[in-house]
Amino acid sequence: MSNGKAPTSHDVARMAGVSQSTVSLVFRGAASGRVGERTQHAVVDAARRLGFRPNADARRLRVGGPPMVLIAVPDIVNPFFARVFTGARAAARDAGFQVVLSVQRDLDSVAADVAGQRIDAVLACSLQDGGPPLEAPVPAVVLDAEPPQGQGAVRFDIAPALTELVDHLHRLGHRSIAHLRSEVRTATFRERSEAVDAACAQRGMDRVQADSALDLDRARAAADALLPPADSGGRPPFTAVVCDDDLLSVGVYKAAQARGLCVPRDLSVTGIDDVDLATAVTPELTTVDLPGEELGATGMRRLIARLAPDGGAPDGAGACVRLPARLVVRGSTAPPADPEPRR
């Protein structure tokens, strides 16, 4: 507000062109069946533009019950997000909070989801880049993603671990690699690509790239396109494949096995995440451990701190906390049988 005063529900109602009672219904989570979806979106948009932030304590007094946090993830099947949810839920329960799970891919969709529910705060994981902060209508912390300006965040410090991974391959004798990247355009995958590129460039290693959805069949298809035809008997023009996700690595395993290539004798393979899948395959996967439960728990604790009476976290509302990532070397990497593959 230009006069320096905090915006009120009257201001939101005026900007949205609705009554104050309509604004109240939206932020009490009582709009379903009483306020049209388009009107709800208009109220949420006005609140966001004004920087209106309902008082969570007052909302709980009106509607009763413990505070409610919406945990938003882009995929409920991916085991990494299951770990994030487990950690966040445990931290919430320790503080007497309840949680509800929402599957969304961007902040705008999360804001729309909040409009029709009694939600006191949002923890949003790995959502697509872009969109304004989610401070209105409720406080929020983002995980494993580039936060909008002024938004609190918890992310992995993944670049050092990926540099160590590339260095591990280089020490084994690999001089040419393939990088199977996620086609999802989020900050975390962009950071992975940049780190791998920089580490390879520093060591003079050749690299080729391909993109895939985070899906086993699509990953195998992408690996099929990188590798020589199954009936050619040829060897790939690289000796190792670095994958953006453990699931992508399994697709590479299957494509290699279909060609009679042995991991790691003929082709070293690495992943990122260190989910249970990494030790379920043979040989077990060399990967970068991203502790999903710790990510979820840390983000939830920061979010709960935002809801405290002083309204802030110890290290600042818009601060970004970085959690360490760790290289885990297992049986899927070895010295190349042919250190100078065909080009």
Side-chain angles (χ1 to χ4, degrees):
M1 298 291 291
S2 58
N3 60 9
K5 295 181 180 180
T8 67
S9 59
H10 292 281
D11 301 315
V12 175
R14 187 179 304 111
M15 176 173 283
V18 300
S19 68
Q20 189 183 5
S21 62
T22 297
V23 174
S24 177
L25 286 171
V26 170
F27 291 122
R28 282 165 44 206
S32 180
R34 304 170 71 179
V35 179
E37 185 175 343
R38 180 175 297 180
T39 301
Q40 292 184 44
H41 281 291
V43 171
V44 171
D45 182 63
R48 179 185 294 162
R49 290 159 59 190
L50 290 169
F52 173 70
R53 178 174 170 177
N55 183 280
D57 292 330
R59 292 174 70 214
R60 288 194 293 274
L61 287 173
R62 287 195 297 270
V63 300
M68 181 72 71
V69 177
L70 183 144
I71 302 175
V73 299
D75 184 355
I76 58 173
V77 176
N78 190 304
F80 173 76
F81 297 124
R83 289 185 172 186
V84 173
F85 179 75
T86 296
R89 180 176 58 185
R93 287 179 174 175
D94 287 345
F97 281 58
Q98 290 187 346
V99 300
V100 59
L101 178 64
S102 174
V103 181
Q104 302 291 353
R105 296 186 179 276
D106 56 67
L107 288 176
D108 284 339
S109 298
V110 172
D113 210 5
V114 169
Q117 303 186 57
R118 183 188 67 81
I119 300 297
D120 296 301
V122 170
L123 191 66
C125 182
S126 302
L127 302 188
Q128 293 179 2
D129 297 345
L134 247 180
E135 285 305 303
V138 295
V141 168
V142 298
L143 306 177
D144 198 31
E146 184 70 35
Q149 186 176 3
Q151 189 83 68
V154 183
R155 302 178 65 182
F156 291 114
D157 190 15
I158 195 171
L162 287 176
T163 299
E164 186 180 358
L165 170 61
V166 172
D167 192 53
H168 165 68
L169 294 173
H170 189 268
R171 289 198 310 269
L172 289 173
H174 297 276
R175 297 296 181 266
S176 182
I177 71 165
H179 183 192
L180 184 54
R181 306 179 303 182
S182 167
E183 67 180 23
V184 179
R185 295 296 179 247
T186 61
T188 183
F189 289 118
R190 185 170 62 249
E191 189 172 8
R192 296 174 198 193
S193 183
E194 291 171 353
V196 172
D197 286 350
C200 287
Q202 289 169 2
R203 290 156 184 78
M205 299 170 67
D206 296 329
R207 61 197 180 281
V208 295
Q209 298 172 332
D211 295 341
S212 171
L214 297 178
D215 172 85
L216 181 57
D217 291 336
R218 296 278 294 278
R220 176 171 179 175
D224 282 335
L226 285 170
L227 295 168
D231 58 356
S232 71
R235 287 186 174 274
F238 44 82
T239 58
V241 183
V242 175
C243 300
D244 269 359
D245 185 278
D246 291 346
L247 186 62
L248 299 182
S249 301
V250 178
V252 176
Y253 270 50
K254 295 178 76 67
Q257 291 166 359
R259 290 161 171 77
L261 298 176
C262 178
V263 177
R265 184 193 66 202
D266 301 314
L267 190 68
S268 288
V269 181
T270 71
I272 298 174
D273 277 347
D274 199 24
V275 295
D276 292 342
L277 191 63
T279 54
V281 295
T282 303
E284 294 186 353
L285 185 66
T286 293
T287 187
V288 172
D289 176 33
L290 302 181
E293 287 192 30
E294 183 181 354
L295 180 74
T298 301
M300 182 61 72
R301 286 192 289 266
R302 284 178 55 79
L303 186 58
I304 290 169
R306 301 287 295 276
L307 294 171
D310 59 9
D315 50 1
C320 180
V321 172
R322 291 274 187 172
L323 301 179
R326 179 177 62 96
L327 174 63
V328 180
V329 177
R330 298 194 179 100
S332 67
T333 50
D338 181 2
E340 295 186 2
R342 302 173 194 172
R343 301 186 183 281

